[in-house]
């Protein structure tokens, strides 16, 4: 997003997947650079798109080359990843299959961020991440092309020959999709829209904007109107646009920008049929994302010539393919429940004030459902496992407590709380895919954020049993110890909410999936 300053020395890459991930991590901007940008208040880099276009040309593409991908562009603050996943799952029903006798698609690309466990999750084809071999192949194809372009121009092939992490992955995804013959690509914007690296798309078939809220204020501004201006940047003339319902100020900006661009903008209300469909993604708020996805997918299919898709899909009966797509969607770490002996893990990567409140309401609904089906007496253990390393962690924790306390009518919604860093394992630290250098190493080492969170929570509820732990693995083991002790008189499983950060959730899932921790 910004200049290549502050990147670590690059290593000469070999050819396998691990080498690819290691080389990719050298493209991350370090904490001092990210923090300086955050504190400068200078906002988004207004040269981002011209710079990204130059990188495209170095890779051998003009932006119009990506028109053949028939791209769908999605932006938003909350739910843009889930919306993209719903769209991809719906469209997958129109791939060749035993139940689809008139397919109109052959390969669907899905590009999202951030990832949970594996960086290759970001680049999917037909709802499957690239394999390790495929990721290495396309990574080094992109890497080598950029180095060749630098050599051809008489420039060094060091760090300056490659863009930063997100830009590189965006270029790699587009190159992958072109090479693989993808005929529809769903592209999720990273930050904002107007100056986002993905906004080099010239002619998307349709654009969509999910629910807006306050986030990335140093880059996008501190008001909903400023944020809406950035998100509206993905709208393109000739491509119909859809938006979820928005706050009044945001909606006014979206409509104004649509008018300036000559774009037809539709506001999508909750689809009436969703009350009778079991979505693959839990939580009531996902119906907003699913409704937006329905309208976007329908407009895209009609643009591809599928005249059997109702033009008024927002109020029509849904085709069977749409229902299947909505039911079959998978999107880990979002209102996800995993169970093991004596524990129900409730997992959500909410990390903004709005999304943390939504996660809290979802957890409260799970508490209510669990309580109504329990016949025991006494208060069940409820545990919070929380971290947020870069945003206002204290404000998020307070918002979560307020939401839960109101929803469950209990000023002590958790009996226990654990605050840990995003460091995955006690021995070995981070898995390569989960390395992030844009947080303060000093804060992580000293557990500064976690200690402040513990103090904040103690002020809110001094009866909660609080632990500060160095790694996610230690936090998981601590919860398991709780679940294995003092079971008599308690009602069912220990209920745990894991939230505050996508990075925390990704590391948490890695711990659960690692054989020695199962």
């Amino acid at each position: 997003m910004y200049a290549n300053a502050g990147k670590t020395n690059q290593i000469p890459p070999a050819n396998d997947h691990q080498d690819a991930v290691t080389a990719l991590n050298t493209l991350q901007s370090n904490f001092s650079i990210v923090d300086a940008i955050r504190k400068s208040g200078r906002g988004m880099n207004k040269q981002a798109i011209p710079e990204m276009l130059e990188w495209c040309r170095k890779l051998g593409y003009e932006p119009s080359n990506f028109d053949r991908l028939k791209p769908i562009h999605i932006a938003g603050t909350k739910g843009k990843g889930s919306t993209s996943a719903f769209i991809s799952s719906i469209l997958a029903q129109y791939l060749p299959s035993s139940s689809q006798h008139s397919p109109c698609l052959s390969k669907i690309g899905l590009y999202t961020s951030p990832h949970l466990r594996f960086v290759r999750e970001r680049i999917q084809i037909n709802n499957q991440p690239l394999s390790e071999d495929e990721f290495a192949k396309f990574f080094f194809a992109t890497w080598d092309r950029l180095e060749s372009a630098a050599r051809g121009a008489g420039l060094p092939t060091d760090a300056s020959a490659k863009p930063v992490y997100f830009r590189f992955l965006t270029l790699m995804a587009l190159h992958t999709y072109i090479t693989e013959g993808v005929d529809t690509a769903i592209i999720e914007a990273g930050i904002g829209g107007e100056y986002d690296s993905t906004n080099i798309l010239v002619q998307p078939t349709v654009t969509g904007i999910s629910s807006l809220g306050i986030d990335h204020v140093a880059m996008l501004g501190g008001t909903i109107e400023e944020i809406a201006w950035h998100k509206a940047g993905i709208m393109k003339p000739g491509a119909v646009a859809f938006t979820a319902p928005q706050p009044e100020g945001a909606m006014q900006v979206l409509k104004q920008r649509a008018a300036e661009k000559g774009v037809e903008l539709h506001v999508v209300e909750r689809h009436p049929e969703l009350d009778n469909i079991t979505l693959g993604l839990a939580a009531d708020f996902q119906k907003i994302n699913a409704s937006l996805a329905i309208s976007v997918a329908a407009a895209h299919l009609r643009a591809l010539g599928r005249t059997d898709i109702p033009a008024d899909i927002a109020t029509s009966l849904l085709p069977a393919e749409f229902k299947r797509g909505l039911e079959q969607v998978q999107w880990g770490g979002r209102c996800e429940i995993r169970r093991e002996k004596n524990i129900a893990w409730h997992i959500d990567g909410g990390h903004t004030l709005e999304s943390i409140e939504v996660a809290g309401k979802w957890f409260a609904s799970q508490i209510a459902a669990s309580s109504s089906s329990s016949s025991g007496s006494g208060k069940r253990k409820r545990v919070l496992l929380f971290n947020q390393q870069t945003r206002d962690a204290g404000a998020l924790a307070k918002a979560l407590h307020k939401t839960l306390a109101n929803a469950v009518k209990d000023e002590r919604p958790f009996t226990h709380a654990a605050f840990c860093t995003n460091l995955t394992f006690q021995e070995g630290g981070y898995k390569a895919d989960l390395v992030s250098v844009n947080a303060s190493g000093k804060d992580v080492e000293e557990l500064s954020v976690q200690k402040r969170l513990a103090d904040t929570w103690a002020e809110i509820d001094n009866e909660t049993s609080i632990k500060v732990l160095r790694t996610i693995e230690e936090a998981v083991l601590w919860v398991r110890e709780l679940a294995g002790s003092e079971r008599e008189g308690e009602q069912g499983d220990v209920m745990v909410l894991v939230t505050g950060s996508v990075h925390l959730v990704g590391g948490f899932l890695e711990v659960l999936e690692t054989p020695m921790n199962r």
Side-chain angles (χ1 to χ4, degrees):
M1 188 174 304
Y2 290 88
N4 286 308
K7 293 192 292 192
T8 56
N9 292 329
Q10 302 205 344
I11 59 170
N15 287 321
D16 68 15
H17 172 258
Q18 192 60 42
D19 290 318
V21 175
T22 301
L24 176 64
N25 284 340
T26 68
L27 304 181
Q28 292 190 43
S29 298
N30 67 28
F31 172 73
S32 62
I33 298 298
V34 173
D35 195 46
I37 293 168
R38 192 179 292 129
K39 291 176 178 177
S40 71
R42 77 188 195 201
M44 294 291 285
N45 177 10
K46 293 179 174 57
Q47 294 303 308
I49 299 305
E51 290 168 7
M52 191 65 180
L53 294 178
E54 185 61 29
W55 288 116
C56 276
R57 293 176 180 123
K58 289 177 179 178
L59 194 59
Y61 294 106
E62 289 294 329
S64 58
N65 295 149
F66 305 128
D67 293 352
R68 76 181 77 165
L69 299 176
K70 306 263 189 317
I72 296 169
H73 206 180
I74 304 297
T77 307
K78 301 171 291 180
K80 58 190 171 87
S82 298
T83 299
S84 299
F86 274 123
I87 295 167
S88 187
S89 186
I90 292 170
L91 295 181
Q93 310 308 312
Y94 293 86
L95 293 166
S97 71
S98 58
S99 61
Q100 180 53 258
H101 303 300
S102 54
C104 60
L105 295 167
S106 61
K107 288 185 179 180
I108 300 166
L110 175 62
Y111 176 61
T112 60
S113 61
H115 59 276
L116 288 176
R117 294 181 61 206
F118 310 106
V119 67
R120 54 193 175 85
E121 295 167 19
R122 296 180 182 228
I123 305 175
Q124 300 192 21
I125 295 178
N126 292 347
N127 295 315
Q128 292 297 317
L130 295 183
S131 69
E132 290 188 354
D133 288 345
E134 288 168 335
F135 185 89
K137 170 187 169 183
F138 289 112
F139 175 88
F140 287 113
T142 305
W143 183 281
D144 292 344
R145 278 198 187 194
L146 293 173
E147 288 200 342
S148 294
R151 276 193 295 269
L155 298 171
T157 58
D158 60 6
S160 62
K162 296 99 182 173
V164 290
Y165 189 95
F166 183 76
R167 285 184 178 183
F168 186 96
L169 284 171
T170 301
L171 292 170
M172 177 183 162
L174 294 170
H175 174 60
T176 300
Y177 295 153
I178 290 285
T179 306
E180 286 292 295
V182 161
D183 47 16
T184 284
I186 302 135
I187 308 293
E188 179 196 354
I191 295 177
E194 179 74 25
Y195 303 118
D196 185 71
S197 300
T198 63
N199 205 27
I200 54 173
L201 300 175
V202 177
Q203 194 58 63
T205 61
V206 58
T207 61
I209 298 176
S210 66
S211 301
L212 299 181
I214 304 298
D215 195 21
H216 298 295
V217 296
M219 297 179 181
L220 305 181
T223 69
I224 197 72
E225 291 81 6
E226 290 173 300
I227 288 168
W229 185 92
H230 280 277
K231 306 294 184 181
I234 68 166
M235 296 181 193
K236 299 291 191 302
V240 64
F242 295 91
T243 179
Q246 308 290 0
E248 182 179 353
M251 189 63 74
Q252 288 177 352
V253 173
L254 294 181
K255 289 179 177 178
Q256 180 182 343
R257 293 216 72 195
E260 292 168 354
K261 292 169 174 281
V263 169
E264 182 183 343
L265 175 65
H266 299 270
V267 180
V268 179
E269 302 294 338
R270 182 161 155 161
H271 197 285
E273 273 207 82
L274 292 182
D275 289 330
N276 302 314
I277 296 174
T278 302
L279 298 178
L281 300 183
D284 189 67
F285 73 86
Q286 289 289 2
K287 293 176 181 177
I288 298 172
N289 300 326
S291 299
L292 178 59
I294 289 167
S295 290
V296 170
H300 180 74
L301 288 167
R302 288 181 63 82
L304 297 183
R306 288 296 298 248
T307 56
D308 57 315
I309 305 298
D312 57 348
I313 190 94
T315 55
S316 300
L317 292 176
L318 294 175
E321 292 90 344
F322 276 61
K323 292 180 181 179
R324 279 200 306 273
L326 294 169
E327 291 169 345
Q328 294 176 5
V329 67
Q330 295 182 342
W331 198 237
R334 284 79 173 177
C335 294
E336 180 181 0
I337 300 176
R338 295 202 180 193
R339 298 184 187 277
E340 61 180 77
K341 184 179 180 181
N342 299 339
I343 303 174
W345 302 101
H346 297 74
I347 311 157
D348 188 82
H351 54 275
T352 68
L353 284 172
E354 291 88 353
S355 61
I356 208 77
E357 289 171 3
V358 167
K361 290 176 181 176
W362 168 67
F363 187 61
S365 72
Q366 298 301 308
I367 292 173
S370 179
S371 298
S372 65
S373 63
S374 175
S375 58
S377 61
K379 185 169 182 176
R380 173 186 303 194
K381 288 176 182 171
R382 294 198 292 258
V383 183
L384 172 64
L385 175 49
F386 186 93
N387 190 42
Q388 174 46 249
Q389 203 65 39
T390 58
R391 291 171 172 84
D392 187 343
L396 292 180
K398 289 177 181 177
L400 177 62
H401 180 275
K402 181 179 179 181
T403 298
L404 273 171
N406 289 339
V408 301
K409 296 179 173 54
D410 185 349
E411 287 300 315
R412 192 189 173 204
F414 295 103
T415 58
H416 299 74
F419 302 104
C420 65
T421 71
N422 293 334
L423 191 64
T424 318
F425 297 110
Q426 298 179 73
E427 296 181 11
Y430 295 104
K431 173 184 169 184
D433 292 73
L434 300 176
V435 168
S436 175
V437 299
N438 60 18
S440 167
K442 184 172 182 286
D443 281 351
V444 172
E445 183 65 30
E446 296 179 355
L447 304 178
S448 303
V449 172
Q450 291 66 42
K451 290 172 182 175
R452 288 196 299 271
L453 278 167
D455 290 342
T456 297
W457 201 268
E459 291 172 7
I460 300 171
D461 177 7
N462 60 15
E463 294 184 28
T464 304
S465 176
I466 298 173
K467 276 275 190 180
V468 170
L469 297 161
R470 179 171 168 268
T471 68
I472 299 169
E473 182 183 29
E474 290 169 273
V476 169
L477 293 174
W478 178 67
V479 172
R480 286 173 174 165
E481 287 177 11
L482 282 176
S485 66
E486 301 177 8
R487 295 289 304 158
E488 187 176 351
E490 294 188 355
Q491 305 180 48
D493 293 339
V494 172
M495 297 184 71
V496 187
L497 176 60
V498 184
T499 193
S501 163
V502 174
H503 301 290
L504 170 69
V505 165
F508 169 79
L509 292 174
E510 180 66 21
V511 170
L512 287 196
E513 293 293 336
T514 300
M516 65 181 180
N517 282 298
R518 286 178 183 170

